[in-house]
Amino acid sequence: MSRKRILMCGPPEHYGVKYEINPWMKKSNQPDRARVEMQWRSLKDALERSGVWVSLVGQLPNFPDMVFSANAGIFNRNKNTVLLSRFRYPERQGETPAFRDWFLSQGFNFKTLPSGIFFEGEGDALVFKDKLICGYGFRSDEAGGVLAAEFMELEPITLRLIDPHFYHLDTCFCPIPEKNLIMYYPPAFDSASCYIIETLGNIIRVSQKDALGFVCNAVVLDSKLIATQVSLELKIELKKHGVETEGVNLSEFIKAGGAAKCLTLFI
Ligand code: ARG
């Protein structure tokens, strides 16, 4: 297996809460500049120490959420091609050309979705073995997930999100294919979706407290998770399944509704 490569956007000099497009974002609750820089670096360092090759795309001044590179698209390594996102909110739509140009500068190709279909990249589409698990209901359309699965040459599984605090799949669902394991927060999904999830593999249901702490928003490196704040009970439970966890404090990014996974895109 080749070395893992991740795209991050930074340094996060233009990050901040400049508008409110999810319930976590409050313009009255701004991230602390010094901590933003430090936390972003500690995530990058943790990834690099784990052997990941981290690439960087510079942040555009007027796009504070561009730091959440998971939303840029989804990358197919066999095709050396990215399927670019189409953002739901105009506030983020201008990120796409910058991400596209970065992919082109690296010699990769890009594809776009048919007009009118929204899809927010790895934020709403995560690989689990031969399947692409896709979330819809807030940002991505179900059709976007199905097209992304086709692009990835994987079987689509679409899940409906119902709690606005968990508006992207990666905020409440974390697949760990290496261990045939899925960690998720059931109240974020409708009951039909929970039913499907429970058939996919071994399951860990996280508590409300862990879920609201963004624990599912973890970067999965085979049998290791890099996540923000993992409770002791969950650490123990994960360990039983052979999964190690490394904690990185990302409190300043949670103020915009994102954490470790949101800040990374597998390429
Ligand atoms: N403020 C950003 C938004 O609402 C956060 C994105 C988080 N990204 C993610 N993959 N969940 O779009």
Side-chain angles (χ1 to χ4, degrees):
M1 208 195 216
S2 59
R3 188 173 172 196
K4 291 197 191 329
R5 184 175 178 190
I6 277 178
L7 176 64
M8 289 181 74
C9 171
E13 38 186 350
H14 307 293
Y15 167 67
V17 179
K18 311 271 167 60
Y19 47 78
E20 300 176 359
I21 56 169
N22 70 54
W24 301 89
M25 302 176 87
K26 298 276 174 265
K27 283 196 276 188
S28 56
N29 187 24
Q30 286 301 322
D32 175 89
R33 284 247 58 84
R35 272 194 231 137
V36 163
E37 182 74 31
M38 212 171 60
Q39 294 181 353
W40 183 86
R41 285 208 181 279
S42 60
L43 175 63
K44 181 170 176 283
D45 289 348
L47 292 168
E48 286 174 341
R49 274 198 315 274
S50 301
V52 174
W53 169 17
V54 178
S55 295
L56 296 181
V57 54
Q59 186 179 13
L60 293 178
N62 295 318
F63 295 92
D65 277 337
M66 193 177 162
V67 294
F68 299 112
S69 56
N71 298 126
I74 190 162
F75 190 75
N76 183 324
R77 270 199 165 192
N78 300 327
K79 298 177 173 171
N80 265 324
T81 301
V82 65
L83 175 66
L84 291 170
S85 294
R86 179 169 295 109
F87 285 96
R88 169 87 47 184
Y89 290 107
E91 287 87 338
R92 295 199 65 183
Q93 286 166 358
E95 296 175 26
T96 300
F99 282 121
R100 180 200 59 208
D101 291 349
W102 183 86
F103 280 100
L104 289 176
S105 76
Q106 301 296 304
F108 298 135
N109 302 311
F110 73 90
K111 272 197 167 310
T112 51
L113 288 156
S115 63
I117 295 184
F118 294 107
F119 172 67
E120 298 202 351
E122 272 193 351
D124 270 329
L126 296 165
V127 176
F128 185 64
K129 302 186 291 186
D130 60 343
K131 300 176 171 52
L132 188 70
I133 318 289
C134 307
Y136 67 95
F138 292 104
R139 299 297 184 83
S140 301
D141 291 323
E142 188 172 20
V146 172
L147 289 170
E150 196 177 299
F151 166 78
M152 294 298 283
E153 302 162 293
L154 295 169
E155 179 197 341
I157 302 285
T158 61
L159 305 172
R160 184 193 290 277
L161 298 165
I162 57 168
D163 179 337
H165 284 92
F166 302 100
Y167 56 93
H168 276 141
L169 181 71
D170 69 359
T171 61
C172 50
F173 184 93
C174 176
I176 309 168
E178 186 81 5
K179 300 289 175 191
N180 189 33
L181 180 64
I182 283 172
M183 173 167 93
Y184 86 114
Y185 180 54
F189 297 88
D190 73 2
S191 54
S193 300
C194 290
Y195 184 83
I196 295 170
I197 294 169
E198 298 278 336
T199 66
L200 292 174
N202 299 317
I203 299 290
I204 293 181
R205 298 176 204 92
V206 306
S207 66
Q208 184 188 39
K209 189 161 178 274
D210 272 322
L212 289 171
F214 267 78
V215 81
C216 293
N217 200 249
V219 183
V220 181
L221 303 171
D222 300 324
S223 56
K224 178 175 180 182
L225 296 191
I226 298 184
T228 186
Q229 275 153 71
V230 189
S231 68
L232 188 59
E233 307 85 83
L234 185 56
K235 250 191 180 144
I236 293 169
E237 177 83 20
L238 282 162
K239 198 153 191 161
K240 274 192 221 151
H241 288 271
V243 179
E244 292 296 326
T245 49
E246 179 171 346
V248 176
N249 183 358
L250 295 167
S251 60
E252 302 314 293
F253 294 96
I254 292 178
K255 291 176 179 173
K261 176 67 199 85
C262 301
L263 293 165
T264 60
L265 177 74
F266 282 98
I267 56 177

